[in-house]
Amino acid sequence: STFAQWQMDQIVSWLYTIDLGQYATEFRKYFRNGLEVLQATHHDLEKVSSVLTGKNLGSLRRDELPH
């Protein structure tokens, strides 16, 4: 399946594999599936990451997402 078709459990697993597991709870709050993550704006991703310290998700590029 494509990233757009992923459910939240798959996305959370992926976050842990790329060392961004600390964002799992926030992703669950803001997104329901891969399509919503793909449709997120730079501002949306900054809002998710602003809750925590560490890597700013606003810098996460679309080409870094799984295919």
Side-chain angles (χ1 to χ4, degrees):
S1 66
T2 65
F3 187 81
Q5 297 170 320
W6 282 16
Q7 297 304 309
M8 189 47 60
D9 289 340
Q10 292 170 287
I11 294 168
V12 166
S13 293
W14 169 70
L15 287 171
Y16 279 99
T17 65
I18 62 168
D19 295 325
L20 293 176
Q22 71 268 27
Y23 296 103
T25 299
E26 293 306 308
F27 261 66
R28 285 185 187 279
K29 285 182 191 175
Y30 288 97
F31 308 112
R32 291 176 296 183
N33 53 50
L35 182 60
E36 289 186 1
V37 175
L38 289 174
Q39 293 174 337
T41 64
H42 177 81
H43 176 73
D44 293 334
L45 292 173
E46 284 183 337
K47 185 168 51 173
V48 170
S49 62
S50 70
V51 176
L52 305 166
T53 59
K55 186 171 180 178
N56 184 332
L57 292 179
S59 65
L60 187 64
R61 298 186 323 260
R62 298 249 184 253
D63 62 349
E64 293 177 314
L65 296 173
H67 302 288

